[in-house]
Amino acid sequence: MSQISPSLKKRMYCEMVLIRSFEDRLVQMAAEEGRLPGMQILANGQEAVAVGVVRALEPEDVLVTNHRSHGHLLAKGADPGKLMAEIMGRSTGVNKGKSGTLHLAVPEVHALMTSTVVGASPPLAAGAAFAQQYAGSGSITVVFFGDGAAAEGSVHEAMNLAGVWKLPVLFVCENNCWAGAQALHEHCSVGQIAHRADGYGMPGRFVDGNDVEKVYATSRELVEHIRSGKGPALMEALTFRMRGHGERDHQLYVDKEELARWGELCPVRCYGEKLLAEGFLTAGERQAIQDEMEGRVKGAEAFADMSPFPAPEEALDDLWVVEPRQYRSRNRR
Amino acid sequence: MAELSYGQAVQDALRVAMRSDDRVFVAGEGVGISIHADPNMPTFSLLEEFGARRVKDTPVSEAAIAGLAVGASCMGLLPVVEIMFFPFMTLASDMLVNHAAKLRYLSGGKSSFPLTVRVKTGVGFKAGCQHSHNLEAWMAHVPGLKVVCASTPEDAKGLLLSAVFDPDPVVVIEEMMLYWMRGEVPDGDLRVELGKARVVRPGSDATVVTYGAAVYTALEAAGMLEQEGVSLEVLDLRSLVPLDRDAVFESVDRTGRLVTLHDATKFCGFGAEIGAMVAEEMFDALKAPIRRVAAPDIPVPFTPPQEEFYKPSAGQVVAAVKSIL
């Protein structure tokens, strides 16, 4: 991994710590009665996938994601304060409180579309990638989906279309070992989802999703392939869902020893220790990064707390560019 | 002005749009090379003029076709995708109902999805209920989707051009039994404003509110009633969303009687919305109860006598009008 510069290593570590701090804070807030509306579907333990993939992209490359999106969006450069405000349903949120945690769209950093309909993101990404190919922009689209989503027909349709048309899209399957309460072998016909790439005429790679440098290196290889016009690629990153599907899911169906084993493989802590051992970080720098990122999350929370909720009647806004008249007309004339 | 078939009018609209704006592309199953090599088919000969970059034959993948439209429109293109037959809309519906219609709202108005979905509808081509199913009320029920349906070649062109350049998602329903019907169509960039109904035949005793191929059923009924001295006004909505409420109110104000008519089934059909709207907003103007003429609540039957039985007839419209005179 000699091609990864010391500054990039440090940057990737910082981003992973930011994401972990952000979601750890959400875990705490979700435990406080009435603090957060709705459910929190978190990606603690999957930070290396988000950061390793996004660092292999150019800023104008498009990101399409799913219900477990906070890490992807923070890595792409979304503002933590506006994300936190959105998660709390505030008017200063990135989508004015219309999205909440589940459907965040941050077009200002080219994170264009997020769908919580499992398996819906890949067809959206194929559409975005088609537009890039059509315009000859040289940009690509990356889409994140889970091992559970891989069972959806829409994923098959999107990967087949992308393969036939050689669309510039990187399909990233974050295999976090659990789809709802089902383990992989209970819902997936193959041991490795990456093997399905053969069926769509695209390269498939399986990577240790808890190792940010391996994720980055594999992403770089596939992004180069895609950007050179050779068509799409699939990367499966094996990682683990450390929290349940929502903070009220206590994962009683997950073996405690399995959870503990993956806890020891924590991508954030392991990478910090590795950089320390290899001399890329000092203990003092590591602590300073931790403090700085926790401080940013505190700042984000304070910003969100100060922000008002949108007015109830603003629920009527933002559906249409040109609104049909019939919906607001209460009276005859 | 040229005399074109309904299908050629659709072609003409697509040619005008594609010649004037490179953001417009066409995609779907057989939109380029088709098993139906008929010059009256709506995308006939587009591939020859615009090439494979802009006329995209897709795999048989309705979800991917609709997803292509959503994703590409979010990037600033103006996709015109085709879902071959209305019943296949179920396969595309997640992309339209949960994504085309909702992603702008969820973004807080940051994103827009200026896509057009063309879909063929109609009763009478004897392919049975998995190729014939008028699902327009489903589409119209989804906030975030606009829905239009032309009954003439001129409107087929003008509504489609308006849909292509409308900044919101529009479902354009094409009456495939009318593809061969000919009529005068203005040249060039013809726009028919979305949300403007048209009085096809003025009348004074009752109003029939309808759209699509059923317009001709209504006109036939109006001719029959005229023989008996009854004057029936025929209002073609052209656009279900946006709905031209004022045109309905204005007509019923004059006639005092309302009959709704569509080839879709009756229960929860679009006629129910029109009837409820009139009853809610102008009950005092009504001289008689509202009547709905629609298909029976069964799938579209295959065998010819049963398919004919299914489609609402002029006789049924005449009977409905007479029952409230």
Side-chain angles (χ1 to χ4, degrees):
Chain A
M1 306 288 165
S2 56
Q3 74 272 33
I4 302 179
S5 70
S7 65
L8 180 58
K9 288 173 191 274
K10 196 170 159 184
R11 178 174 179 184
M12 293 200 296
Y13 180 66
C14 288
E15 289 175 346
M16 288 168 68
V17 173
L18 174 66
I19 295 166
R20 175 61 64 86
S21 303
F22 190 88
E23 293 210 310
D24 273 353
R25 184 63 198 134
L26 288 176
V27 168
Q28 295 165 350
M29 292 164 78
E32 296 171 32
E33 189 64 33
R35 186 86 171 92
L36 292 180
M39 58 175 155
Q40 299 301 320
I41 297 185
L42 304 176
N44 300 56
Q46 303 178 208
E47 295 84 355
V49 185
V51 170
V53 170
V54 172
R55 280 287 61 78
L57 304 177
E58 298 298 327
E60 61 275 15
D61 288 334
V62 166
L63 182 92
V64 180
T65 175
N66 57 59
H67 50 284
R68 213 179 293 280
S69 70
H70 302 152
H72 308 144
L73 298 172
L74 286 167
K76 198 79 170 76
D79 179 76
K82 289 180 181 172
L83 281 190
M84 187 65 88
E86 186 61 41
I87 290 164
M88 292 170 64
R90 305 303 169 100
S91 64
T92 57
V94 71
N95 305 123
K96 301 196 283 192
K98 290 281 198 317
S99 153
T101 174
L102 288 177
H103 328 83
L104 296 152
V106 195
E108 52 270 34
V109 296
H110 300 273
L112 281 195
M113 293 172 280
T114 297
S115 178
T116 65
V117 178
V118 172
S121 303
L124 299 172
F130 173 77
Q132 292 166 323
Q133 183 187 63
Y134 188 85
S137 69
S139 295
I140 72 163
T141 296
V142 168
V143 57
F144 290 98
F145 60 102
D147 47 299
E152 288 281 3
S154 53
V155 177
H156 162 73
E157 288 194 21
M159 294 181 77
N160 183 59
L161 183 76
V164 174
W165 288 1
K166 300 213 173 307
L167 297 177
V169 55
L170 175 60
F171 295 94
V172 179
C173 180
E174 282 187 271
N175 177 357
N176 65 13
C177 295
W178 289 95
Q182 277 189 311
L184 189 71
H185 68 91
E186 293 172 308
H187 68 79
C188 187
S189 57
V190 286
Q192 281 191 12
I193 290 162
H195 287 160
R196 290 187 177 155
D198 280 349
Y200 303 111
M202 64 178 81
R205 296 284 184 276
F206 180 85
V207 66
D208 175 356
N210 277 27
D211 184 327
V212 69
E213 295 195 356
K214 284 182 180 157
V215 173
Y216 172 78
T218 305
S219 301
R220 276 293 295 265
E221 176 207 337
L222 295 175
V223 165
E224 264 171 45
H225 165 93
I226 295 162
R227 221 184 283 284
S228 70
K230 291 178 186 156
L234 169 64
M235 182 173 80
E236 176 185 2
L238 182 68
T239 180
F240 201 83
R241 193 188 74 191
M242 299 302 292
R243 310 293 307 178
H245 192 85
E247 280 301 292
R248 288 183 185 166
D249 168 12
H250 302 296
Q251 305 208 87
L252 300 176
Y253 46 86
V254 177
D255 181 56
K256 284 195 169 51
E257 283 179 24
E258 187 188 16
L259 197 60
R261 195 165 60 249
W262 280 95
E264 284 167 24
L265 299 173
C266 169
V268 185
R269 184 175 44 73
C270 289
Y271 195 48
E273 286 168 3
K274 177 179 151 82
L275 293 183
L276 201 60
E278 292 175 356
F280 291 105
L281 276 184
T282 66
E285 285 171 331
R286 190 179 171 202
Q287 188 59 51
I289 290 168
Q290 189 71 36
D291 293 345
E292 183 193 337
M293 296 305 152
E294 286 177 10
R296 286 186 68 187
V297 172
K298 278 204 181 74
E301 186 181 346
F303 169 76
D305 272 330
M306 284 188 321
S307 300
F309 282 101
E313 60 274 18
E314 285 173 35
L316 299 174
D317 299 338
D318 301 320
L319 180 59
W320 309 93
V321 181
V322 178
E323 182 180 321
R325 285 170 304 155
Q326 66 251 34
Y327 297 107
R328 290 195 193 188
S329 147
R330 291 265 166 93
N331 300 309
R332 194 172 143 191
R333 294 273 149 73
Chain B
M1 205 64 122
E3 196 194 90
L4 300 178
S5 68
Y6 187 112
Q8 287 171 326
V10 174
Q11 287 168 25
D12 196 31
L14 294 171
R15 275 198 205 91
V16 169
M18 293 177 81
R19 283 175 191 160
S20 70
D21 196 326
D22 189 60
R23 293 175 300 166
V24 181
F25 72 95
V26 170
E29 297 161 15
V31 297
I33 298 170
S34 170
I35 55 173
H36 305 292
D38 181 323
N40 295 298
M41 285 295 112
T43 56
F44 182 82
S45 80
L46 292 180
L47 179 63
E48 284 75 7
E49 178 171 351
F50 298 102
R53 173 177 170 264
R54 300 181 69 193
V55 179
K56 308 291 292 182
D57 275 324
T58 65
V60 184
S61 300
E62 284 78 9
I65 292 166
L68 172 72
V70 178
S73 64
C74 189
M75 297 283 285
L77 297 187
L78 301 177
V80 184
V81 299
E82 176 177 313
I83 299 299
M84 195 180 278
F85 296 112
F86 220 155
F88 307 171
M89 193 63 94
T90 55
L91 295 163
S93 59
D94 173 59
M95 281 296 137
L96 298 180
V97 174
N98 283 317
H99 298 90
K102 292 177 184 167
L103 287 183
R104 173 180 172 77
Y105 187 73
L106 289 169
S107 78
K110 280 184 175 176
S111 307
S112 59
F113 298 85
L115 62 91
T116 302
V117 180
R118 297 178 34 253
V119 61
K120 300 186 185 102
T121 198
V123 179
F125 73 117
K126 298 170 185 60
C129 57
Q130 291 178 344
H131 286 70
S132 284
H133 192 169
N134 291 52
L135 290 169
E136 61 271 16
W138 271 17
M139 297 284 114
H141 192 60
V142 178
L145 296 180
K146 294 175 180 175
V147 183
V148 302
C149 183
S151 66
T152 66
E154 179 174 348
D155 284 349
K157 178 178 176 181
L159 286 172
L160 180 54
L161 270 162
S162 293
V164 170
F165 293 105
D166 191 88
D168 294 307
V170 186
V171 177
V172 177
I173 301 167
E174 292 172 6
E175 288 280 11
M176 59 187 154
M177 297 305 288
L178 301 182
Y179 275 153
W180 294 266
M181 192 191 78
R182 301 184 76 81
E184 291 291 317
V185 179
D187 299 325
D189 191 354
L190 171 72
R191 306 286 177 99
V192 171
E193 188 185 340
L194 306 185
K196 281 274 180 263
R198 181 174 70 101
V199 177
V200 183
R201 178 182 171 130
S204 54
D205 295 324
T207 300
V208 58
V209 173
T210 186
Y211 52 88
V215 166
Y216 299 100
T217 311
L219 286 172
E220 188 188 346
M224 291 159 72
L225 284 164
E226 189 178 32
Q227 305 297 316
E228 303 182 35
V230 177
S231 170
L232 183 64
E233 176 147 309
V234 178
L235 185 68
D236 178 0
L237 288 176
R238 304 197 284 191
S239 170
L240 309 190
V241 183
L243 177 62
D244 191 347
R245 294 162 58 100
D246 290 342
V248 176
F249 296 149
E250 195 278 326
S251 178
V252 178
D253 255 340
R254 279 188 290 103
T255 64
R257 295 181 182 87
L258 172 67
V259 175
T260 66
L261 168 67
H262 49 61
D263 288 343
T265 48
K266 186 172 186 179
F267 189 82
C268 289
F270 199 73
E273 177 62 35
I274 300 294
M277 178 182 89
V278 166
E280 189 172 39
E281 309 245 11
M282 56 186 306
F283 189 76
D284 293 347
L286 288 171
K287 297 171 185 160
I290 294 163
R291 291 279 184 260
R292 289 184 288 154
V293 180
D297 293 299
I298 53 172
V300 176
F302 153 67
T303 191
Q306 290 185 350
E307 192 184 38
E308 196 181 327
F309 164 81
Y310 173 93
K311 187 175 158 67
S313 67
Q316 287 172 272
V317 177
V318 168
V321 172
K322 284 185 176 174
S323 77
I324 54 172
L325 283 177

